[in-house]
């Protein structure tokens, strides 16, 4: 099935493509189930997925999106207060992350970028643990084996290769263990990473081996300061047909559509039909990171256009209109968010620098003579400071990550 | 003892070292909650609002709006509401006296960024603590923050000895080939700002930059500029006036005779090269000018009349050498001299030349340093010029022009080979120094340049 065979929406480009950039082909295959007005749209292929959603599930979409946005605000504040070296905000991309994350099954395996805080939430990762990396005290704060949510990759696009390799591993495991649950891998990346060679290589291998991997691209329109039209002359999703697997472009601010499309793609991958590319058409409302200032390269008017498509606002409209949620629900979501923020703040401020010996301990699974030698050298070195030290103010030789 | 919490300016953007306080969003006595916006700052990267890390009452604002402070500087103190009435409000606070209590209030917790060493600190992490206090218990910055010191007071505190400039400014100066000590600083702490550097550079290049439009019009100067736009008038004053007077006095009272000699200075160049690598001369700038200076002193002793003054009725021959070196300085041409240069060893002379040059370049040459000269060298070779007819410094009777030293074809033992060649020019007051004497003097100087080992005799 190629991109052209996928159902198109009956809506005008302008409904979702208001900020579409000139020079890029119009969005003609964009899947949308919930418009910015909070009203449902019909989609022949994906509307049926809505019928499977319970009111609890719909509310959980909202509470997850609100929770992670509140978390994002707290982490940004912690960075501004000098408690984090850096933070990578996700505001604006909640639907793309919660919708896709909630579509995954526990046995699926996720390879995130460094911005997938919403996906982390859906996988059950303690969000405060994400901050260990950004506080500079750990390469990660969580054990990927617990949640099948891999470590954040700061090297652009590298995780797409890991994801395909992992997916090929799943294929081999399944070949020897018929009882194994069907599983797929999700490789998250962005429009900027799509220009990296690693993405090309991973897609070539995924197609060649029909690996069970879903490439989930959040096209947030800005690769730091480089606009999307510089990254690609064609809609990103069109690239899938070049590799020979299906591509779907979805309204990335529509959590219902993202969830439906992701479910379809994961089923496709798990059932042995090979990879899928999803391009979630969304927008980064904030800065690339806390070290970035978007006002230097884009206009406020563009941001305003996208604010009108806010994923939380449109779902709230829908939930209220359908009497699926009331004021009490929304206020409890807000309270829960504040509670989480307070917990995250408290946990972060209490984070201790780990003993550097733990770094030596995790190089190999078993004891290794070279590592032991290096640890001995280091301890000797550290001790040499202690002899001359006043011991008052300084030095975290034993603690530096 | 109070429960004041101090908020130090954090690095909000990966490697920033300073920020400007643009505007305070709170005032003394305001009650703030965690994450309430306290202040807007502007960094090299962006304008950023800082949310409060503490809940309480604003007790002190430590930095004025418009001021730029380093990352790590305490900018605000926030007291708990209970202590707010007892907390000192407003006014300068000694960073030293309040720092310990502030530290005590946040014991066991320091922000990750903003409490660390300055980005340009070269201080080694000297020791370790018995307990690893998370996350970054590093020594306080060596300069105690004193953001409430009045500006005037701060200006007088600026250390005069060392040129202050931030690393990017130093890098830019290096790239532009500008000696930072030539630039007038306007920074708050007496440091040279990027702006200072650029305005110096603008001034330096203004003339070259103006070349393209020079013929089109002259800049307006004075009330009568309208009468003729095609000329520009420059007031004659200061050093320019003094130079003009001295040159006229010299040129039209002393009958000049100029002679030239080409010299194979290859051995001088070898000697300079050896000196540069010698341990004795480590850290001392050595150039061929050093050898020429030594040669001139040596040759003057053999031909004493060149080291003299004409008074009209007598010739005063000096048994000392106050060796003048003509120097282009920011203030104009200056001829400071090295007193009693005849007593200096080669190394001492090298140091003296360096000092003289750096003082002159900095525009700090004192009148006493220019008085009492006995013979002058003008190093026109430094500007790539082969030779010239220098005008004698008034009160003296000889001047030596040192041309550029470059590889040229030279005939040695009947073969043309590349050698390091220079041209020495000399102007002499014919009232004192006759042709044969000037020739002998120049030949002696040349002989040393050809074979510096003769200095040992």
């Amino acid at each position: 099935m190629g991109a052209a065979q996928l159902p198109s929406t009956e809506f005008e480009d302008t409904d979702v493509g208001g900020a579409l950039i000139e020079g890029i082909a119009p969005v003609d295959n964009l899947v949308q189930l919930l418009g910015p007005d909070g009203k449902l749209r019909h989609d022949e292929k994906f509307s049926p997925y809505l019928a499977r959603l319970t009111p609890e599930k719909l509310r959980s979409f909202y509470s997850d999106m609100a929770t992670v946005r509140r978390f994002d605000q707290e982490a940004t504040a912690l960075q501004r207060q000098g408690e984090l070296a850096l933070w990578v905000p996700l505001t604006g991309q909640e639907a793309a992350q919660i919708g896709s994350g909630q579509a995954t099954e526990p046995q699926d395996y996720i390879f995130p970028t460094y911005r997938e805080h919403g996906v982390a939430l859906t996988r059950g990762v303690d969000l405060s643990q994400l901050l260990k990396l950004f506080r500079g005290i750990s390469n990660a704060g969580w054990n990927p084996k617990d949640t099948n949510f891999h470590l954040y990759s700061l090297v652009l696009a590298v995780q797409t290769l890991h994801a395909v390799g992992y997916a090929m591993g799943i294929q081999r495991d399944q070949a020897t263990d018929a009882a194994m649950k069907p599983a797929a891998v999700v490789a998250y990346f962005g429009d900027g990473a799509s220009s990296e060679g690693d993405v090309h290589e991973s897609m070539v291998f995924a197609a060649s081996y029909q690996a069970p991997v879903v490439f989930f691209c959040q096209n947030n329109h800005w690769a730091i300061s480089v606009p999307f039209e510089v990254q690609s002359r064609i809609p990103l999703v069109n690239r899938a047909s070049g590799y020979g697997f299906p591509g779907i472009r979805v309204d990335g601010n529509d959590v219902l559509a993202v969830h439906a499309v992701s479910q379809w793609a994961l089923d496709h991958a798990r059932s042995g039909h090979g990879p899928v590319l999803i391009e979630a058409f969304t927008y980064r409302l904030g800065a690339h990171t806390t070290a970035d200032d978007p006002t230097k390269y884009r206009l406020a008017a563009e941001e305003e256009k996208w604010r009108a498509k806010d994923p939380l606002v449109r779902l709230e409209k829908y939930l209220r209109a359908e009497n699926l949620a009331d004021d009490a629900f929304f206020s409890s979501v807000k309270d829960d968010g504040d509670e989480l923020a307070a917990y995250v703040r408290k946990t972060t401020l209490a984070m201790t620098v780990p003993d550097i010996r733990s770094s030596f301990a995790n190089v190999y699974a078993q004891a290794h003579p070279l590592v032991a030698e290096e640890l001995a050298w280091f301890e000797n070195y550290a001790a040499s400071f202690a002899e001359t030290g006043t011991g008052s103010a300084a030095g975290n030789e034993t603690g530096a990550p | 003892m109070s429960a004041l919490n101090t908020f130090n300016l954090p690095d909000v953007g990966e490697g920033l070292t300073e920020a400007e306080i643009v505007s305070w969003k709170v005032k003394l006595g305001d009650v703030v909650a965690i994450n309430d916006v306290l202040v807007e700052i502007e960094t090299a990267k962006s304008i950023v609002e800082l949310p409060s890390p503490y809940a309480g009452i604003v007790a002190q604002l430590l930095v004025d709006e418009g001021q730029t402070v380093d990352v790590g500087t305490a900018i605000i103190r926030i007291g708990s509401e209970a202590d707010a009435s007892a907390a000192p409000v407003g006014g300068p606070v000694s960073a030293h006296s309040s720092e310990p209590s502030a530290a005590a209030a946040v014991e066991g917790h320091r922000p990750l960024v903003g409490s660390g060493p300055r980005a340009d600190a070269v201080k080694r992490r000297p020791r370790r603590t018995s307990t690893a206090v998370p996350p970054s218990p590093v020594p306080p910055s060596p300069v105690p923050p004193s953001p409430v010191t009045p500006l005037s007071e701060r200006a007088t505190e600026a250390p005069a000895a060392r040129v202050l400039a931030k690393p990017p400014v130093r890098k830019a100066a290096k790239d532009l080939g500008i000696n930072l000590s030539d630039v007038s600083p306007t920074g708050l702490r007496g440091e040279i700002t990027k702006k200072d550097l650029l305005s110096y550079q603008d001034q330096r290049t203004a003339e070259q930059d103006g070349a393209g439009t020079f013929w089109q019009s002259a800049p307006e100067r004075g009330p009568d500029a309208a009468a003729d736009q095609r000329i520009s008038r420059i007031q004659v004053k200061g050093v320019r006036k003094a130079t003009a007077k001295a040159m006229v006095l010299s040129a039209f009272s002393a009958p000049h005779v100029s002679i030239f000699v080409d010299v194979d200075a290859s051995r001088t160049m070898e000697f300079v090269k050896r000196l540069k690598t010698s341990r004795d001369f480590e850290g001392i700038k050595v150039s061929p000018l050093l050898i020429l200076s030594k040669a001139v002193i040596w040759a003057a002793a053999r031909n004493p009349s060149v080291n003299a003054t004409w008074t009209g009725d007598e010739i005063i021959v000096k048994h000392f050498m106050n060796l003048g070196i003509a120097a282009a300085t920011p203030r104009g041409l200056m001829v400071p001299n090295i007193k009693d240069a005849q007593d200096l060893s080669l190394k001492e002379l090298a140091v003296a030349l360096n000092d003289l040059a750096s003082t002159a370049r900095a525009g700090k040459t004192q009148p006493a340093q220019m008085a009492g000269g006995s013979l002058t060298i003008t190093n026109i070779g430094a500007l790539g010029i082969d030779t010239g007819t220098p005008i004698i410094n008034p009160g003296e009777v000889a001047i030596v022009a040192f041309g550029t030293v470059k590889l040229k074809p030279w005939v040695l033992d009947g073969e043309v080979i590349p050698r390091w060649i220079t041209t020495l020019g000399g102007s002499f007051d014919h009232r004192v120094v006759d042709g044969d004497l000037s020739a002998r003097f120049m030949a002696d100087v040349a002989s040393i340049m050809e074979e510096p080992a003769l200095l040992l005799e």
Side-chain angles (χ1 to χ4, degrees):
Chain A
M1 184 187 272
Q5 298 163 286
L6 287 165
S8 63
T9 64
E10 60 189 75
F11 309 106
E12 299 295 325
D13 300 340
T14 49
D15 282 348
V16 287
L20 268 188
I21 300 138
E22 285 178 12
I24 294 195
V27 186
D28 50 3
N29 286 329
L30 194 133
V31 179
Q32 188 186 52
L33 300 178
L34 184 66
D37 55 3
K39 297 204 167 69
L40 290 183
R41 307 287 200 263
H42 178 74
D43 184 284
E44 199 180 322
K45 185 181 177 83
F46 291 107
S47 284
Y49 281 79
L50 287 184
R52 306 180 201 169
L53 299 176
T54 62
E56 289 76 35
K57 186 77 170 170
L58 289 168
R59 284 193 290 268
S60 78
F61 286 156
Y62 183 88
S63 60
D64 274 6
M65 291 197 294
T67 299
V68 78
R69 180 173 288 189
R70 180 65 185 88
F71 165 72
D72 193 45
Q73 290 162 353
E74 195 66 18
T76 302
L78 283 166
Q79 199 282 334
R80 295 300 186 219
Q81 289 157 358
E83 301 295 348
L84 301 178
L86 182 74
W87 181 243
V88 187
L90 66 43
T91 297
Q93 300 177 222
E94 295 89 347
Q97 296 196 8
I98 300 300
S100 59
Q102 284 222 20
T104 61
E105 296 290 337
Q107 73 272 19
D108 295 332
Y109 198 95
I110 316 300
F111 284 87
T113 69
Y114 39 69
R115 204 190 296 278
E116 262 62 82
H117 322 314
V119 184
L121 176 69
T122 66
R123 297 298 297 188
V125 177
D126 177 346
L127 290 185
S128 69
Q129 301 305 298
L130 297 179
L131 301 190
K132 281 187 175 169
L133 174 68
F134 295 96
R135 199 171 162 85
I137 59 169
S138 174
N139 287 328
W142 63 97
N143 184 348
K145 287 181 180 169
D146 295 341
T147 53
N148 277 12
F149 183 74
H150 202 71
L151 307 184
Y152 275 180
S153 285
L154 297 183
V155 177
L156 212 60
V158 72
Q159 75 281 3
T160 58
L161 293 168
H162 305 160
V164 173
Y166 197 98
M168 289 165 63
I170 288 176
Q171 282 180 311
R172 279 148 188 77
D173 285 350
Q174 284 171 336
T176 57
D177 180 4
M180 201 180 135
K181 265 191 179 174
V185 173
V186 185
Y188 284 90
F189 63 107
D191 47 301
S194 75
S195 298
E196 295 276 331
D198 283 358
V199 169
H200 171 68
E201 293 165 35
S202 63
M203 288 185 177
V204 167
F205 269 76
S208 297
Y209 287 88
Q210 288 291 287
V213 56
V214 174
F215 293 102
F216 193 96
C217 176
Q218 289 168 80
N219 179 353
N220 70 16
H221 286 81
W222 288 96
I224 308 187
S225 59
V226 179
F228 174 65
E229 73 261 34
V230 177
Q231 305 278 343
S232 180
R233 306 289 293 181
I234 59 163
L236 269 184
V237 70
N238 290 10
R239 291 187 185 172
S241 58
Y243 294 105
F245 51 81
I248 311 173
R249 186 177 247 196
V250 63
D251 179 354
N253 286 10
D254 171 1
V255 68
L256 304 184
V258 171
H259 186 258
V261 162
S262 301
Q263 277 196 321
W264 178 87
L266 284 161
D267 284 344
H268 181 93
R270 286 190 208 108
S271 54
H273 295 113
V276 177
L277 169 63
I278 296 174
E279 178 189 0
F281 208 66
T282 182
Y283 193 78
R284 187 192 81 213
L285 283 173
H288 169 72
T289 70
T290 47
D292 172 45
D293 177 8
T295 64
K296 286 187 173 158
Y297 52 79
R298 69 187 192 193
L299 297 172
E302 184 186 305
E303 291 177 24
E304 285 314 307
K305 272 185 186 171
W306 279 94
R307 274 185 208 287
K309 301 174 205 193
D310 190 298
L312 277 75
V313 172
R314 72 172 81 172
L315 185 60
E316 180 178 346
K317 281 180 188 165
Y318 174 73
L319 292 174
R320 284 184 187 276
E322 299 292 317
N323 284 320
L324 294 166
D326 54 10
D327 286 348
F329 167 76
F330 290 107
S331 102
S332 80
V333 167
K334 188 188 174 300
D335 292 347
D336 290 349
D338 290 343
E339 197 179 310
L340 172 78
Y343 161 77
V344 164
R345 167 171 295 270
K346 188 166 165 258
T347 311
T348 301
L349 299 186
M351 280 175 186
T352 55
V353 179
D355 191 313
I356 198 170
R357 283 160 196 81
S358 68
S359 295
F360 288 93
N362 291 322
V363 177
Y364 292 103
Q366 290 160 349
H368 190 286
L370 180 61
V371 174
E373 184 188 325
E374 288 173 350
L375 176 59
W377 182 91
F378 176 82
E379 288 185 329
N380 199 22
Y381 171 75
S384 73
F385 282 91
E387 282 163 21
T388 57
T390 61
S392 61
N396 52 352
E397 289 91 342
T398 56
Chain B
M1 192 69 191
S2 71
L4 282 183
N5 287 310
T6 303
F7 184 25
N8 296 336
L9 181 72
D11 168 10
V12 295
E14 286 188 286
L16 297 172
T17 57
E18 61 177 20
E20 182 190 332
I21 304 298
V22 176
S23 63
W24 284 106
K25 303 298 183 192
V26 293
K27 56 185 189 302
L28 295 181
D30 280 1
V31 177
V32 294
I34 285 177
N35 290 349
D36 281 356
V37 173
L38 297 176
V39 61
E40 190 176 67
I41 64 167
E42 179 162 18
T43 71
K45 290 179 176 176
S46 57
I47 290 187
V48 166
E49 288 178 334
L50 298 185
S52 178
Y54 306 112
I57 291 184
V58 176
Q60 291 159 2
L61 302 181
L62 300 171
V63 182
D64 295 332
E65 290 181 357
Q67 224 180 306
T68 298
V69 293
D70 287 343
V71 164
T73 305
I75 57 171
I76 186 173
R77 293 198 213 284
I78 295 170
S80 69
E81 293 193 43
D83 293 327
S85 54
V89 171
V93 174
S94 157
H96 282 306
S97 63
S98 56
E99 207 64 57
S101 62
V106 294
E107 188 157 2
H109 165 239
R110 290 279 183 86
L112 174 70
V113 285
S115 62
R118 291 153 178 270
D120 58 349
V122 289
K123 218 170 150 184
R124 272 179 100 85
R125 246 180 351 179
R127 21 225 147 260
R128 74 174 175 176
T129 51
S130 49
T131 56
V133 182
S136 181
V138 288
S141 64
V143 180
S146 54
V148 289
T149 313
L151 297 190
S152 55
E153 208 177 309
R154 195 172 306 116
T156 58
E157 284 167 4
R162 191 170 157 259
V163 178
L164 290 178
K166 294 192 167 64
V169 177
R170 291 183 185 280
K171 168 78 164 60
K174 203 175 162 195
D175 292 347
L176 293 168
I178 292 173
N179 184 342
L180 276 176
S181 57
D182 294 348
V183 182
S184 312
T186 65
L188 288 178
R189 288 169 206 79
E191 78 274 20
I192 293 167
T193 65
K194 187 76 179 279
K195 208 171 159 190
D196 296 337
L197 188 72
L198 293 179
S199 70
Y200 179 85
Q201 167 73 355
D202 285 350
Q203 179 197 326
R204 205 174 65 151
T205 58
E207 281 161 17
Q208 287 99 310
D209 289 349
T213 56
F214 180 76
W215 300 121
Q216 289 160 25
S217 71
E220 287 186 35
R221 273 176 201 274
D224 53 349
D228 190 348
Q229 292 283 357
R230 286 155 55 88
I231 58 170
S232 42
R233 297 167 195 275
I234 299 164
Q235 286 287 313
V236 176
K237 53 188 178 184
V239 175
R240 171 56 35 208
K241 199 168 186 174
T243 302
K245 194 177 166 194
M247 290 302 103
V248 169
L249 181 70
S250 175
F252 296 102
S253 60
H256 281 56
V257 59
S258 296
I259 59 174
F260 309 99
V261 56
D262 285 348
V263 185
D264 176 0
S266 301
R267 289 199 171 156
T268 288
M269 299 304 275
E270 282 165 27
F271 186 36
V272 166
K273 201 173 156 189
R274 279 205 302 278
L275 288 179
K276 277 179 178 166
T277 55
S278 114
R279 194 172 301 168
D280 260 7
F281 280 73
E282 205 175 304
I284 300 171
K285 196 180 160 229
V286 182
S287 75
L289 180 63
L290 171 63
I291 313 304
L292 179 73
S293 301
K294 202 73 187 170
V296 165
I297 297 165
W298 181 81
R302 291 159 60 98
N303 308 279
S305 295
V306 300
N307 195 38
T309 295
W310 170 270
T311 66
D313 42 25
E314 55 184 357
I315 293 167
I316 302 167
V317 176
K318 296 160 187 170
H319 294 263
F320 58 86
M321 173 63 80
N322 289 349
L323 183 66
I325 305 289
T329 75
R331 287 154 59 199
L333 178 68
M334 302 267 175
V335 189
N337 58 68
I338 298 169
K339 304 281 190 280
D340 290 318
Q342 78 283 356
D343 293 338
L344 301 181
S345 70
L346 196 63
K347 187 175 166 183
E348 289 165 341
L349 189 60
V351 172
L353 281 168
N354 288 348
D355 288 350
L356 176 143
S358 59
T359 307
R361 270 200 300 271
K364 291 174 181 157
T365 302
Q366 299 302 312
Q369 291 170 299
M370 294 186 281
S374 59
L375 195 157
T376 297
I377 295 172
T378 176
N379 189 15
I380 58 176
L383 304 170
I385 301 302
D386 287 337
T387 190
T389 58
I391 294 176
I392 299 159
N393 204 27
E396 302 173 12
V397 298
I399 184 167
V400 177
F402 187 20
T404 189
V405 185
K406 57 189 173 194
L407 278 174
K408 282 186 182 173
W410 192 255
V411 179
L412 199 69
D413 299 332
E415 277 186 72
V416 179
I417 54 168
R419 299 288 285 178
W420 289 100
I421 306 303
T422 185
T423 302
L424 299 177
S427 289
F428 301 88
D429 184 341
H430 214 317
R431 293 172 298 182
V432 181
V433 186
D434 293 336
D436 64 329
L437 178 62
S438 59
R440 277 208 306 276
F441 171 74
M442 288 300 280
D444 281 346
V445 174
S447 71
I448 297 298
M449 297 303 283
E450 283 179 346
E451 183 46 271
L454 289 176
L455 286 171
L456 298 173
E457 78 171 6

